[in-house]
Amino acid sequence: MSNAKQVDPAKAAELFIIHDQIHEPMHDRFLWGTMQRRDAEAAAIPEWEELREIASKIKEHTLTHLDHYLEEFEANATKRGAHVHWALDAAEHNEIVHSILKDHGVKEMIKSKSMLQEECHMTPFLENRGIKVIESDLGERIQQLDGQPPSHIVFPAIHKTRKDVAQLFARTVGTDPNNDDPHLLTEVIRNNARPRFLATGAGMTGGNFAIAETGTFMVCTNEGNADIGASVPPLHIASIGIEKLIPRVEDMGVFLRLLARSAEGSPLTQYSSHFSGPRKGGELHIVLVDNGRSRRLGMADFWHSLKCIRCGACMNTCPVYRRSGGLSYGATYSGPIGVILDPTFDEFKYSELPFHSTLCGSCSDVCPVKIDISDQILKWRRVMAERGYLPLVKRMSFAVAGHVLGHPEEYHAMEKVAAPAMDYAPHFLLYNRSLNPWGRSRELPQIAKQTFRDWYLANRSEHADDEQ
């Protein structure tokens, strides 16, 4: 069992919800609007479901032949002049990046958004060794200035209002705290970053896809920051998870049609840049990172999570994520995809996350590569129960529920006494903070005077007569 402390998503979500009447409704409204744009884009493409099916099959084929495609990618990238490195885990990744920067005498580096680098905790590792790291993506830069990790895969600072950003920039960049004009705030951070692009010794990116047949990798952004970071400094380093491989260039057409539509409800990202070898006079290093992916590939119930293309659609549609905020998960990855990815890094620390879901199944329905997310969440719950990670109250509650639901006579007897008993139960018992955390911020619903079963039994003969 891990020595790390278990995350408490329910408590963190409660703090986000009760903070004020602004942040949680804004968060919910924006992401639901994004989801509606995604739905409109998907509905406008008659072959949308066929695209999802093809994408899923390409990913499954690649993952089941991953060793072959990784070697093919390495050979072709090397032919094009790139230096390819292999990192078994986060520590090895960070050591490789540090070694490259140290060899080139780099003291300051500018980077674009990469969830893999977040997963490896690369920035604090480098800064502890005297290398300053500057985020160039606007949302990531906001989070970096505030000392917070990203709260969403695509929209890192989506939980913040314009006023939050104005006050943050006033504290850290010296702007007017009362001016929250988004154009001004964007211009301020752009002017802050541009000189760094020119002065820094290295730029770092991630990679959305890596194409085996050409040794090319692709980076998709909306701000163009990754392109500047890869093109201006003499040294370009790219961290790429080994699951990002696809076999052929022609496969990209499928994924590009799905990615931006699923992520933000737009036809394409503003920039879809292909990197095939170093730029003229420059140097390119590609770090292929495992960090638990090979182990996950061997997990019969969970290997499909490796198909993820990090679009965030499952987060945008999730009613729990939209209302609790990404930071409440206490992990690199949040939302439904985080619930099934994070336990592969540390089962005990993230053992509560699978219960941070309604199991409504909407995440599986919108996933562009057809990951069975809700099924995996349910399976992770079983794993956590079998490992003995559930707290006492939850274990007892599930044991009682399992017994009653498995004995219909006891269930119906409880139905008959529960409704009247609710009228006389003391308030402190119904809304006990330990026994009923659900009731901390809301009232229990009124119990119907007649159950559906009673109604069905009372009306069944009448319907039978009608049918005759």
Side-chain angles (χ1 to χ4, degrees):
M1 182 183 293
S2 163
N3 293 322
K5 184 181 178 183
Q6 280 178 303
V7 297
D8 187 348
K11 185 177 181 181
E14 182 182 20
L15 294 176
F16 179 70
I17 292 169
I18 66 175
H19 174 63
D20 56 27
Q21 298 298 314
I22 297 173
H23 287 77
E24 183 266 329
M26 176 208 68
H27 191 261
D28 181 30
R29 188 171 58 251
F30 177 85
L31 293 176
W32 184 240
T34 304
M35 202 63 232
Q36 290 178 310
R37 292 197 301 276
R38 174 266 176 204
D39 291 347
E41 287 288 338
I45 297 181
E47 66 273 23
W48 180 258
E49 289 304 317
E50 188 180 354
L51 281 172
R52 291 179 68 211
E53 184 65 30
I54 294 171
S56 174
K57 286 182 176 175
I58 292 172
K59 276 290 187 179
E60 289 184 8
H61 166 80
T62 313
L63 289 167
T64 51
H65 300 78
L66 192 55
D67 53 343
H68 164 75
Y69 287 119
L70 282 168
E71 289 178 357
E72 184 180 355
F73 175 83
E74 180 191 30
N76 287 323
T78 303
K79 283 180 191 171
R80 290 176 178 272
H83 301 271
V84 179
H85 308 262
W86 297 85
L88 178 63
D89 52 26
E92 211 166 275
H93 166 266
N94 295 341
E95 289 289 355
I96 290 170
V97 173
H98 179 243
S99 172
I100 297 168
L101 295 173
K102 187 178 176 184
D103 288 347
H104 289 76
V106 175
K107 296 295 183 185
E108 180 172 316
M109 176 179 69
I110 195 156
K111 65 181 282 295
S112 62
K113 182 161 66 69
S114 163
M115 293 306 295
L116 175 60
Q117 291 155 12
E118 291 288 336
E119 175 188 314
C120 294
H121 305 290
M122 184 195 74
T123 295
F125 177 90
L126 293 178
E127 294 197 329
N128 286 337
R129 286 154 182 78
I131 297 175
K132 191 172 184 180
V133 180
I134 305 294
E135 295 284 351
S136 59
D137 175 272
L138 177 59
E140 285 282 349
R141 183 63 174 151
I142 291 170
Q143 291 302 95
Q144 185 181 35
L145 289 172
D146 210 11
Q148 290 182 334
S151 70
H152 189 287
I153 287 176
V154 178
F155 314 114
I158 192 58
H159 59 294
K160 284 183 165 67
T161 65
R162 288 187 307 181
K163 187 176 180 181
D164 292 335
V165 176
Q167 292 178 347
L168 172 67
F169 284 4
R171 293 197 307 273
T172 55
V173 190
T175 55
D176 179 357
N178 298 313
N179 191 340
D180 63 356
D181 175 57
H183 298 289
L184 178 136
L185 296 173
T186 304
E187 195 64 23
V188 164
I189 214 67
R190 176 182 292 168
N191 290 335
N192 183 270
R194 285 299 169 98
R196 297 177 188 275
F197 281 116
L198 298 173
T200 188
M204 196 162 180
T205 68
N208 292 82
F209 303 97
I211 304 168
E213 75 171 353
T214 59
T216 302
F217 63 93
M218 175 175 276
V219 181
C220 302
T221 68
N222 284 314
E223 300 175 23
N225 56 308
D227 304 82
I228 300 177
S231 305
V232 177
L235 174 64
H236 176 194
I237 306 172
S239 307
I240 302 175
I242 59 173
E243 84 282 15
K244 297 295 180 70
L245 265 288
I246 59 171
R248 302 164 300 178
V249 174
E250 66 184 71
D251 298 328
M252 280 308 310
V254 175
F255 291 101
L256 285 180
R257 296 185 75 191
L258 290 167
L259 179 62
R261 288 181 169 90
S262 299
E264 51 196 30
S266 62
L268 278 175
T269 50
Q270 299 296 317
Y271 302 90
S272 299
S273 303
H274 299 244
F275 295 96
S276 300
R279 68 173 175 83
K280 190 175 181 180
E283 194 169 314
L284 172 63
H285 292 257
I286 301 170
V287 188
L288 295 171
V289 186
D290 186 317
N291 201 32
R293 287 159 175 77
S294 294
R295 188 175 71 86
R296 200 186 314 155
L297 191 58
M299 301 169 80
D301 288 334
F302 303 116
W303 73 275
H304 281 182
S305 64
L306 289 164
K307 294 194 294 182
C308 179
I309 59 172
R310 307 290 193 267
C311 70
C314 62
M315 307 163 81
N316 301 340
T317 197
C318 176
V320 175
Y321 176 85
R322 293 203 314 268
R323 290 171 176 82
S324 60
L327 297 182
S328 70
Y329 291 74
T332 299
Y333 301 101
S334 54
I337 190 64
V339 168
I340 64 173
L341 289 182
D342 295 320
T344 65
F345 297 110
D346 191 325
E347 284 184 5
F348 176 72
K349 182 177 181 181
Y350 301 116
S351 55
E352 272 296 307
L353 292 186
F355 301 92
H356 208 56
S357 167
T358 63
L359 294 179
C360 68
S362 183
C363 48
S364 301
D365 291 341
V366 301
C367 177
V369 288
K370 291 195 161 187
I371 301 174
D372 52 343
I373 300 175
S374 57
D375 290 343
Q376 291 193 37
I377 292 174
L378 187 60
K379 288 171 182 172
W380 271 116
R381 289 186 181 186
R382 188 176 300 134
V383 170
M384 300 313 174
E386 290 172 353
R387 299 277 198 276
Y389 294 154
L390 304 187
L392 179 62
V393 171
K394 195 168 282 181
R395 286 205 304 272
M396 293 176 62
S397 301
F398 285 171
V400 171
H403 177 82
V404 172
L405 292 172
H407 297 79
E409 291 180 356
E410 293 183 28
Y411 176 78
H412 296 313
M414 184 169 287
E415 273 186 322
K416 293 186 183 307
V417 301
M422 292 286 284
D423 293 336
Y424 298 99
H427 187 276
F428 78 88
L429 182 60
L430 289 178
Y431 295 96
N432 184 283
R433 292 181 65 84
S434 298
L435 296 177
N436 182 23
W438 190 90
R440 289 176 191 170
S441 304
R442 56 198 146 186
E443 294 292 319
L444 290 168
Q446 289 290 321
I447 296 180
K449 295 186 180 302
Q450 186 182 36
T451 66
F452 172 76
R453 181 173 182 275
D454 288 340
W455 175 90
Y456 185 78
L457 292 174
N459 292 276
R460 183 173 57 180
S461 59
E462 179 184 333
H463 287 294
D465 291 339
D466 290 344
E467 291 176 2
Q468 292 174 357

mmCIF file of all heavy atoms in Angstrom, residues 41-76:
data_model
loop_
_atom_site.group_PDB
_atom_site.id
_atom_site.type_symbol
_atom_site.label_atom_id
_atom_site.label_comp_id
_atom_site.label_asym_id
_atom_site.label_seq_id
_atom_site.Cartn_x
_atom_site.Cartn_y
_atom_site.Cartn_z
ATOM 1 N N GLU A 41 -21.503 20.048 -33.661
ATOM 2 C CA GLU A 41 -20.478 19.685 -34.637
ATOM 3 C C GLU A 41 -20.588 18.206 -35.017
ATOM 4 O O GLU A 41 -20.461 17.837 -36.186
ATOM 5 C CB GLU A 41 -19.079 19.979 -34.079
ATOM 6 C CG GLU A 41 -18.721 21.453 -34.011
ATOM 7 C CD GLU A 41 -18.467 22.050 -35.393
ATOM 8 O OE1 GLU A 41 -18.167 21.280 -36.329
ATOM 9 O OE2 GLU A 41 -18.590 23.283 -35.518
ATOM 10 N N ALA A 42 -20.818 17.373 -34.012
ATOM 11 C CA ALA A 42 -20.938 15.934 -34.286
ATOM 12 C C ALA A 42 -22.168 15.643 -35.138
ATOM 13 O O ALA A 42 -22.117 14.828 -36.070
ATOM 14 C CB ALA A 42 -21.004 15.162 -32.961
ATOM 15 N N ALA A 43 -23.276 16.333 -34.839
ATOM 16 C CA ALA A 43 -24.518 16.098 -35.586
ATOM 17 C C ALA A 43 -24.394 16.552 -37.039
ATOM 18 O O ALA A 43 -25.118 16.052 -37.913
ATOM 19 C CB ALA A 43 -25.671 16.828 -34.903
ATOM 20 N N ALA A 44 -23.477 17.488 -37.309
ATOM 21 C CA ALA A 44 -23.314 18.005 -38.670
ATOM 22 C C ALA A 44 -22.503 17.056 -39.557
ATOM 23 O O ALA A 44 -22.377 17.288 -40.756
ATOM 24 C CB ALA A 44 -22.634 19.376 -38.624
ATOM 25 N N ILE A 45 -21.932 16.000 -38.977
ATOM 26 C CA ILE A 45 -21.130 15.043 -39.753
ATOM 27 C C ILE A 45 -21.865 13.707 -39.768
ATOM 28 O O ILE A 45 -21.880 12.986 -38.757
ATOM 29 C CB ILE A 45 -19.726 14.880 -39.129
ATOM 30 C CG1 ILE A 45 -18.986 16.222 -39.185
ATOM 31 C CG2 ILE A 45 -18.929 13.808 -39.849
ATOM 32 C CD1 ILE A 45 -17.602 16.174 -38.619
ATOM 33 N N PRO A 46 -22.459 13.328 -40.882
ATOM 34 C CA PRO A 46 -23.252 12.089 -40.918
ATOM 35 C C PRO A 46 -22.447 10.851 -40.521
ATOM 36 O O PRO A 46 -22.993 9.920 -39.938
ATOM 37 C CB PRO A 46 -23.689 12.005 -42.396
ATOM 38 C CG PRO A 46 -23.622 13.408 -42.895
ATOM 39 C CD PRO A 46 -22.489 14.052 -42.161
ATOM 40 N N GLU A 47 -21.138 10.851 -40.841
ATOM 41 C CA GLU A 47 -20.328 9.663 -40.557
ATOM 42 C C GLU A 47 -19.625 9.742 -39.200
ATOM 43 O O GLU A 47 -18.630 9.064 -38.971
ATOM 44 C CB GLU A 47 -19.293 9.454 -41.673
ATOM 45 C CG GLU A 47 -18.215 10.545 -41.771
ATOM 46 C CD GLU A 47 -18.618 11.730 -42.623
ATOM 47 O OE1 GLU A 47 -19.836 11.955 -42.782
ATOM 48 O OE2 GLU A 47 -17.724 12.451 -43.107
ATOM 49 N N TRP A 48 -20.150 10.582 -38.299
ATOM 50 C CA TRP A 48 -19.490 10.786 -36.999
ATOM 51 C C TRP A 48 -19.276 9.471 -36.244
ATOM 52 O O TRP A 48 -18.171 9.193 -35.747
ATOM 53 C CB TRP A 48 -20.320 11.746 -36.140
ATOM 54 C CG TRP A 48 -19.730 12.011 -34.788
ATOM 55 C CD1 TRP A 48 -20.109 11.474 -33.584
ATOM 56 C CD2 TRP A 48 -18.636 12.892 -34.485
ATOM 57 N NE1 TRP A 48 -19.333 11.947 -32.566
ATOM 58 C CE2 TRP A 48 -18.419 12.825 -33.085
ATOM 59 C CE3 TRP A 48 -17.822 13.723 -35.265
ATOM 60 C CZ2 TRP A 48 -17.433 13.572 -32.459
ATOM 61 C CZ3 TRP A 48 -16.822 14.450 -34.622
ATOM 62 C CH2 TRP A 48 -16.647 14.375 -33.253
ATOM 63 N N GLU A 49 -20.304 8.647 -36.140
ATOM 64 C CA GLU A 49 -20.165 7.394 -35.383
ATOM 65 C C GLU A 49 -19.190 6.449 -36.077
ATOM 66 O O GLU A 49 -18.465 5.696 -35.418
ATOM 67 C CB GLU A 49 -21.534 6.732 -35.203
ATOM 68 C CG GLU A 49 -22.450 7.475 -34.241
ATOM 69 C CD GLU A 49 -21.815 7.659 -32.866
ATOM 70 O OE1 GLU A 49 -21.199 6.702 -32.360
ATOM 71 O OE2 GLU A 49 -21.906 8.775 -32.309
ATOM 72 N N GLU A 50 -19.177 6.491 -37.419
ATOM 73 C CA GLU A 50 -18.225 5.661 -38.155
ATOM 74 C C GLU A 50 -16.797 6.114 -37.872
ATOM 75 O O GLU A 50 -15.882 5.300 -37.706
ATOM 76 C CB GLU A 50 -18.518 5.745 -39.654
ATOM 77 C CG GLU A 50 -17.707 4.772 -40.495
ATOM 78 C CD GLU A 50 -18.026 4.885 -41.982
ATOM 79 O OE1 GLU A 50 -18.970 5.638 -42.336
ATOM 80 O OE2 GLU A 50 -17.327 4.236 -42.768
ATOM 81 N N LEU A 51 -16.595 7.446 -37.797
ATOM 82 C CA LEU A 51 -15.264 7.976 -37.463
ATOM 83 C C LEU A 51 -14.819 7.496 -36.084
ATOM 84 O O LEU A 51 -13.658 7.116 -35.887
ATOM 85 C CB LEU A 51 -15.291 9.512 -37.484
ATOM 86 C CG LEU A 51 -15.222 10.204 -38.837
ATOM 87 C CD1 LEU A 51 -15.450 11.711 -38.675
ATOM 88 C CD2 LEU A 51 -13.878 9.947 -39.503
ATOM 89 N N ARG A 52 -15.728 7.558 -35.113
ATOM 90 C CA ARG A 52 -15.398 7.079 -33.758
ATOM 91 C C ARG A 52 -14.971 5.607 -33.801
ATOM 92 O O ARG A 52 -14.019 5.197 -33.143
ATOM 93 C CB ARG A 52 -16.594 7.237 -32.821
ATOM 94 C CG ARG A 52 -16.951 8.684 -32.477
ATOM 95 C CD ARG A 52 -18.165 8.710 -31.558
ATOM 96 N NE ARG A 52 -17.877 8.166 -30.249
ATOM 97 C CZ ARG A 52 -18.764 7.533 -29.476
ATOM 98 N NH1 ARG A 52 -19.986 7.354 -29.904
ATOM 99 N NH2 ARG A 52 -18.422 7.077 -28.286
ATOM 100 N N GLU A 53 -15.699 4.819 -34.571
ATOM 101 C CA GLU A 53 -15.398 3.387 -34.638
ATOM 102 C C GLU A 53 -14.031 3.151 -35.283
ATOM 103 O O GLU A 53 -13.233 2.339 -34.803
ATOM 104 C CB GLU A 53 -16.500 2.686 -35.443
ATOM 105 C CG GLU A 53 -16.361 1.166 -35.500
ATOM 106 C CD GLU A 53 -16.512 0.511 -34.136
ATOM 107 O OE1 GLU A 53 -17.243 1.058 -33.291
ATOM 108 O OE2 GLU A 53 -15.874 -0.547 -33.915
ATOM 109 N N ILE A 54 -13.751 3.893 -36.349
ATOM 110 C CA ILE A 54 -12.448 3.739 -37.025
ATOM 111 C C ILE A 54 -11.314 4.173 -36.098
ATOM 112 O O ILE A 54 -10.289 3.489 -35.982
ATOM 113 C CB ILE A 54 -12.423 4.573 -38.328
ATOM 114 C CG1 ILE A 54 -13.420 4.010 -39.340
ATOM 115 C CG2 ILE A 54 -11.017 4.589 -38.928
ATOM 116 C CD1 ILE A 54 -13.615 4.901 -40.562
ATOM 117 N N ALA A 55 -11.509 5.308 -35.415
ATOM 118 C CA ALA A 55 -10.475 5.793 -34.489
ATOM 119 C C ALA A 55 -10.202 4.780 -33.390
ATOM 120 O O ALA A 55 -9.044 4.519 -33.017
ATOM 121 C CB ALA A 55 -10.901 7.133 -33.891
ATOM 122 N N SER A 56 -11.269 4.202 -32.869
ATOM 123 C CA SER A 56 -11.116 3.200 -31.815
ATOM 124 C C SER A 56 -10.318 2.000 -32.316
ATOM 125 O O SER A 56 -9.404 1.499 -31.641
ATOM 126 C CB SER A 56 -12.504 2.756 -31.327
ATOM 127 O OG SER A 56 -12.391 1.691 -30.413
ATOM 128 N N LYS A 57 -10.627 1.557 -33.536
ATOM 129 C CA LYS A 57 -9.925 0.381 -34.081
ATOM 130 C C LYS A 57 -8.458 0.695 -34.388
ATOM 131 O O LYS A 57 -7.582 -0.158 -34.192
ATOM 132 C CB LYS A 57 -10.648 -0.103 -35.343
ATOM 133 C CG LYS A 57 -11.966 -0.815 -35.022
ATOM 134 C CD LYS A 57 -12.658 -1.327 -36.265
ATOM 135 C CE LYS A 57 -13.906 -2.107 -35.882
ATOM 136 N NZ LYS A 57 -14.688 -2.529 -37.069
ATOM 137 N N ILE A 58 -8.184 1.909 -34.880
ATOM 138 C CA ILE A 58 -6.771 2.282 -35.135
ATOM 139 C C ILE A 58 -5.986 2.249 -33.829
ATOM 140 O O ILE A 58 -4.873 1.722 -33.756
ATOM 141 C CB ILE A 58 -6.696 3.690 -35.772
ATOM 142 C CG1 ILE A 58 -7.268 3.673 -37.186
ATOM 143 C CG2 ILE A 58 -5.247 4.175 -35.808
ATOM 144 C CD1 ILE A 58 -7.407 5.061 -37.800
ATOM 145 N N LYS A 59 -6.578 2.824 -32.788
ATOM 146 C CA LYS A 59 -5.886 2.852 -31.492
ATOM 147 C C LYS A 59 -5.685 1.435 -30.941
ATOM 148 O O LYS A 59 -4.610 1.103 -30.414
ATOM 149 C CB LYS A 59 -6.698 3.702 -30.502
ATOM 150 C CG LYS A 59 -6.428 5.195 -30.600
ATOM 151 C CD LYS A 59 -5.025 5.505 -30.090
ATOM 152 C CE LYS A 59 -4.753 6.980 -29.996
ATOM 153 N NZ LYS A 59 -3.396 7.238 -29.478
ATOM 154 N N GLU A 60 -6.716 0.614 -31.030
ATOM 155 C CA GLU A 60 -6.589 -0.750 -30.493
ATOM 156 C C GLU A 60 -5.545 -1.545 -31.281
ATOM 157 O O GLU A 60 -4.762 -2.305 -30.697
ATOM 158 C CB GLU A 60 -7.950 -1.439 -30.517
ATOM 159 C CG GLU A 60 -8.919 -0.865 -29.490
ATOM 160 C CD GLU A 60 -10.235 -1.604 -29.446
ATOM 161 O OE1 GLU A 60 -10.355 -2.659 -30.093
ATOM 162 O OE2 GLU A 60 -11.153 -1.115 -28.761
ATOM 163 N N HIS A 61 -5.548 -1.366 -32.600
ATOM 164 C CA HIS A 61 -4.539 -2.065 -33.414
ATOM 165 C C HIS A 61 -3.130 -1.607 -33.012
ATOM 166 O O HIS A 61 -2.219 -2.422 -32.832
ATOM 167 C CB HIS A 61 -4.787 -1.765 -34.898
ATOM 168 C CG HIS A 61 -3.642 -2.145 -35.776
ATOM 169 N ND1 HIS A 61 -3.413 -3.453 -36.189
ATOM 170 C CD2 HIS A 61 -2.611 -1.402 -36.285
ATOM 171 C CE1 HIS A 61 -2.308 -3.480 -36.917
ATOM 172 N NE2 HIS A 61 -1.801 -2.260 -36.996
ATOM 173 N N THR A 62 -2.961 -0.280 -32.861
ATOM 174 C CA THR A 62 -1.630 0.244 -32.527
ATOM 175 C C THR A 62 -1.172 -0.264 -31.166
ATOM 176 O O THR A 62 -0.013 -0.683 -31.004
ATOM 177 C CB THR A 62 -1.651 1.788 -32.527
ATOM 178 O OG1 THR A 62 -2.302 2.250 -33.695
ATOM 179 C CG2 THR A 62 -0.237 2.337 -32.478
ATOM 180 N N LEU A 63 -2.068 -0.226 -30.208
ATOM 181 C CA LEU A 63 -1.689 -0.638 -28.853
ATOM 182 C C LEU A 63 -1.353 -2.128 -28.786
ATOM 183 O O LEU A 63 -0.504 -2.543 -27.997
ATOM 184 C CB LEU A 63 -2.821 -0.302 -27.873
ATOM 185 C CG LEU A 63 -3.015 1.193 -27.597
ATOM 186 C CD1 LEU A 63 -4.338 1.446 -26.879
ATOM 187 C CD2 LEU A 63 -1.857 1.741 -26.764
ATOM 188 N N THR A 64 -2.013 -2.931 -29.605
ATOM 189 C CA THR A 64 -1.714 -4.369 -29.587
ATOM 190 C C THR A 64 -0.497 -4.713 -30.446
ATOM 191 O O THR A 64 -0.101 -5.878 -30.503
ATOM 192 C CB THR A 64 -2.945 -5.176 -30.061
ATOM 193 O OG1 THR A 64 -3.417 -4.650 -31.304
ATOM 194 C CG2 THR A 64 -4.050 -5.124 -29.032
ATOM 195 N N HIS A 65 0.073 -3.719 -31.134
ATOM 196 C CA HIS A 65 1.337 -3.909 -31.877
ATOM 197 C C HIS A 65 2.302 -2.782 -31.497
ATOM 198 O O HIS A 65 3.089 -2.311 -32.326
ATOM 199 C CB HIS A 65 1.082 -3.875 -33.386
ATOM 200 C CG HIS A 65 0.140 -4.933 -33.868
ATOM 201 N ND1 HIS A 65 -1.227 -4.854 -33.732
ATOM 202 C CD2 HIS A 65 0.389 -6.126 -34.475
ATOM 203 C CE1 HIS A 65 -1.789 -5.931 -34.256
ATOM 204 N NE2 HIS A 65 -0.842 -6.724 -34.697
ATOM 205 N N LEU A 66 2.242 -2.357 -30.237
ATOM 206 C CA LEU A 66 2.940 -1.141 -29.839
ATOM 207 C C LEU A 66 4.456 -1.266 -29.979
ATOM 208 O O LEU A 66 5.132 -0.305 -30.373
ATOM 209 C CB LEU A 66 2.565 -0.781 -28.388
ATOM 210 C CG LEU A 66 2.978 0.612 -27.912
ATOM 211 C CD1 LEU A 66 2.441 1.699 -28.833
ATOM 212 C CD2 LEU A 66 2.489 0.853 -26.477
ATOM 213 N N ASP A 67 4.997 -2.427 -29.635
ATOM 214 C CA ASP A 67 6.454 -2.582 -29.730
ATOM 215 C C ASP A 67 6.939 -2.346 -31.157
ATOM 216 O O ASP A 67 7.934 -1.655 -31.394
ATOM 217 C CB ASP A 67 6.881 -3.972 -29.234
ATOM 218 C CG ASP A 67 6.127 -5.098 -29.934
ATOM 219 O OD1 ASP A 67 5.072 -4.821 -30.546
ATOM 220 O OD2 ASP A 67 6.593 -6.254 -29.877
ATOM 221 N N HIS A 68 6.198 -2.883 -32.125
ATOM 222 C CA HIS A 68 6.586 -2.727 -33.535
ATOM 223 C C HIS A 68 6.545 -1.251 -33.944
ATOM 224 O O HIS A 68 7.503 -0.732 -34.549
ATOM 225 C CB HIS A 68 5.632 -3.541 -34.416
ATOM 226 C CG HIS A 68 5.681 -3.170 -35.866
ATOM 227 N ND1 HIS A 68 6.730 -3.537 -36.691
ATOM 228 C CD2 HIS A 68 4.827 -2.421 -36.635
ATOM 229 C CE1 HIS A 68 6.520 -3.060 -37.910
ATOM 230 N NE2 HIS A 68 5.383 -2.371 -37.909
ATOM 231 N N TYR A 69 5.447 -0.558 -33.607
ATOM 232 C CA TYR A 69 5.302 0.832 -34.062
ATOM 233 C C TYR A 69 6.264 1.776 -33.338
ATOM 234 O O TYR A 69 6.709 2.775 -33.907
ATOM 235 C CB TYR A 69 3.849 1.290 -33.897
ATOM 236 C CG TYR A 69 2.940 0.656 -34.927
ATOM 237 C CD1 TYR A 69 1.883 -0.160 -34.540
ATOM 238 C CD2 TYR A 69 3.162 0.852 -36.286
ATOM 239 C CE1 TYR A 69 1.066 -0.760 -35.485
ATOM 240 C CE2 TYR A 69 2.349 0.246 -37.239
ATOM 241 C CZ TYR A 69 1.300 -0.553 -36.838
ATOM 242 O OH TYR A 69 0.509 -1.140 -37.783
ATOM 243 N N LEU A 70 6.580 1.484 -32.088
ATOM 244 C CA LEU A 70 7.557 2.325 -31.377
ATOM 245 C C LEU A 70 8.938 2.224 -32.031
ATOM 246 O O LEU A 70 9.630 3.239 -32.220
ATOM 247 C CB LEU A 70 7.636 1.906 -29.906
ATOM 248 C CG LEU A 70 6.494 2.390 -29.011
ATOM 249 C CD1 LEU A 70 6.519 1.677 -27.667
ATOM 250 C CD2 LEU A 70 6.563 3.908 -28.813
ATOM 251 N N GLU A 71 9.332 1.013 -32.367
ATOM 252 C CA GLU A 71 10.643 0.837 -33.017
ATOM 253 C C GLU A 71 10.659 1.491 -34.394
ATOM 254 O O GLU A 71 11.658 2.087 -34.807
ATOM 255 C CB GLU A 71 10.978 -0.659 -33.103
ATOM 256 C CG GLU A 71 11.301 -1.272 -31.744
ATOM 257 C CD GLU A 71 11.593 -2.760 -31.836
ATOM 258 O OE1 GLU A 71 11.483 -3.314 -32.955
ATOM 259 O OE2 GLU A 71 11.929 -3.364 -30.802
ATOM 260 N N GLU A 72 9.526 1.387 -35.120
ATOM 261 C CA GLU A 72 9.433 2.020 -36.438
ATOM 262 C C GLU A 72 9.541 3.541 -36.301
ATOM 263 O O GLU A 72 10.232 4.199 -37.080
ATOM 264 C CB GLU A 72 8.111 1.630 -37.109
ATOM 265 C CG GLU A 72 7.981 2.165 -38.536
ATOM 266 C CD GLU A 72 6.665 1.763 -39.185
ATOM 267 O OE1 GLU A 72 5.897 0.998 -38.571
ATOM 268 O OE2 GLU A 72 6.406 2.238 -40.312
ATOM 269 N N PHE A 73 8.836 4.086 -35.298
ATOM 270 C CA PHE A 73 8.896 5.538 -35.082
ATOM 271 C C PHE A 73 10.320 5.973 -34.756
ATOM 272 O O PHE A 73 10.836 6.946 -35.306
ATOM 273 C CB PHE A 73 7.955 5.948 -33.947
ATOM 274 C CG PHE A 73 8.055 7.402 -33.593
ATOM 275 C CD1 PHE A 73 7.363 8.361 -34.325
ATOM 276 C CD2 PHE A 73 8.870 7.831 -32.543
ATOM 277 C CE1 PHE A 73 7.475 9.717 -34.023
ATOM 278 C CE2 PHE A 73 8.986 9.179 -32.233
ATOM 279 C CZ PHE A 73 8.287 10.123 -32.974
ATOM 280 N N GLU A 74 10.967 5.257 -33.848
ATOM 281 C CA GLU A 74 12.335 5.617 -33.451
ATOM 282 C C GLU A 74 13.273 5.602 -34.655
ATOM 283 O O GLU A 74 14.062 6.550 -34.857
ATOM 284 C CB GLU A 74 12.862 4.656 -32.384
ATOM 285 C CG GLU A 74 14.282 4.994 -31.932
ATOM 286 C CD GLU A 74 14.913 3.902 -31.091
ATOM 287 O OE1 GLU A 74 14.561 2.720 -31.297
ATOM 288 O OE2 GLU A 74 15.756 4.233 -30.232
ATOM 289 N N ALA A 75 13.181 4.544 -35.490
ATOM 290 C CA ALA A 75 14.069 4.430 -36.645
ATOM 291 C C ALA A 75 13.854 5.594 -37.615
ATOM 292 O O ALA A 75 14.825 6.203 -38.104
ATOM 293 C CB ALA A 75 13.821 3.094 -37.346
ATOM 294 N N ASN A 76 12.581 5.930 -37.882
ATOM 295 C CA ASN A 76 12.310 6.992 -38.860
ATOM 296 C C ASN A 76 12.621 8.384 -38.310
ATOM 297 O O ASN A 76 13.081 9.261 -39.040
ATOM 298 C CB ASN A 76 10.850 6.909 -39.311
ATOM 299 C CG ASN A 76 10.622 5.713 -40.225
ATOM 300 O OD1 ASN A 76 11.484 5.376 -41.026
ATOM 301 N ND2 ASN A 76 9.480 5.060 -40.076
#
